[in-house]
Amino acid sequence: MTSSESGTYKRRSVTELRSLIWLALPIIAAQMSHTLLGFVDAAMAGRVSAVDLAAVALGNAFWVPTFLFLTGVLMIVTSKVAAANGSGHLDDAGSLVRQGAWLGLSIGCLSALFLCSVEPIMHWMEVEPQLIPITVDYLIAVAIGFPAVALFQALRGLTDGMSQTKPTMLIGFLGLALNVPANYVLVYGKLGLPAMGAVGCGVATALVMWFMLGCMLVYLKRSPRYAVTGLFAHFEWPRWPQQRHLLGLGLPIGMALFAETSMFCVIALLIGGLGAIVVAGHQIAMNFSSLTFMVPFSLGLAITVRVGHNLGLNGARAGLFAAKMGLAVALVFACIAAGLMLGLAEWIPLLYTNNPEVIALATQLFFYAALYQFSDAIQVACAGALRGYQDTRLPMVLTMTAYWAIGLPSGYVLGLTDLLGPARGPVGFWQGLIIGLTAAAVFLSVRLAHVSAERKRRQPWGIAGKLR
């Protein structure tokens, strides 16, 4: 490489890195605000009792994977809008988002019905009986907000796809600002209301979901930036060909995210039979690691936008370059997150509880949470790049294989059986998580290399290259 080529490469790297980070930062802030809703729920419920904290933990094990499933399905709206923006066809985005909203409403209602029907699953998984009624009531409360949050995610696809990520960030923090006092009032029984404990957390979460949808609708209606899309130009009923197309591309994304997060759900349920102390300790480590996961997850969303935009504008080489930069940033963050978890493992549990047994278990689990940051960052970044290429079906199969055929069985064998030595309880399940996430990272890395090479052969230039 000549000095001129080296200088060009450095300038491209700086430009792409700047674009990725400025796109990702508001997404990270928005996702952190969503995840902090769960943090606030866990922290406030933990101050009531270990049983309330365990009930929120089990409830989160159901509704968080369901939320990420519908988020994943609707990510295809972001990818499509990003491609339209890169190729100069934003006038098509209005119809696309309207159809995405119908798809989101359908999935949100079905998700709510599912959350209201999980009690038999908990009995089948032999969850401790005292936890079941509180968990069921908590989930019913959260379910009321699911049609709203699904519509919000569909509308978010327009703003994120146009690289306008600050609105989602601001609305997310407004929701968090509402969640904290709502939790305080409903959980502890203030302003003349009865103390609802864990169930109050669910009611507050549902209120926030509807509030955020209202904020997004008002913003899109009033902002002139989105007038070119014609989003509110006219009413549009669901169109089956478009619905089938969006669902065909989005469902594998949702299933892939669900495969990963539902693995955590099943682990929480399997651990549920070991008692409230074990569930609470597991929940603290899982809840905090979920906070850190929002950074690579948000980077994955930004990578989807950058790859899709670059493919439409500058072709396959630019798309791959964006994917590589995103992967590098994700790995840098993984190093930082792992170091913080190892250094603060004894202090983080104090944010949730003062129970010494729970604190001791959570501290032990943070070691394993630190280890899986690296494989998690790689698989999330590669998945985001593959969404930008609109390659969704095979990645779904690969991730489901990694999590359900490799990770979860490994965790079950290590955690609850004596096949490989004495049963290790929750530690064994966290070791299984590391195995499954590492397998996913390897599988998706190989798939990304194949897809990028194939796209380079078939579509080397984007619209900018054709104009030249």
Side-chain angles (χ1 to χ4, degrees), residues 61-117:
F62 282 103
W63 81 257
V64 172
T66 307
F67 167 73
L68 288 176
F69 167 75
L70 68 84
T71 299
V73 173
L74 297 170
M75 277 181 187
I76 196 61
V77 177
T78 304
S79 178
K80 288 283 189 180
V81 172
N85 189 31
S87 60
H89 291 95
L90 270 178
D91 52 327
D92 297 333
S95 178
L96 170 66
V97 175
R98 286 191 293 271
Q99 293 301 312
W102 280 113
L103 180 61
L105 182 61
S106 301
I107 296 174
C109 292
L110 290 174
S111 298
L113 290 174
F114 165 72
L115 293 177
C116 293
S117 309

Side-chain angles (χ1 to χ4, degrees), residues 36-54:
L36 281 170
L37 298 178
F39 172 81
V40 172
D41 286 355
M44 290 194 171
R47 299 297 174 184
V48 177
S49 71
V51 172
D52 283 87
L53 175 57

Side-chain angles (χ1 to χ4, degrees), residues 5-26:
E5 290 173 335
S6 176
T8 301
Y9 182 83
K10 289 179 180 178
R11 286 192 296 274
R12 285 183 62 203
S13 299
V14 170
T15 300
E16 181 59 41
L17 182 62
R18 184 185 297 117
S19 298
L20 177 66
I21 290 177
W22 282 112
L23 179 64
L25 283 176

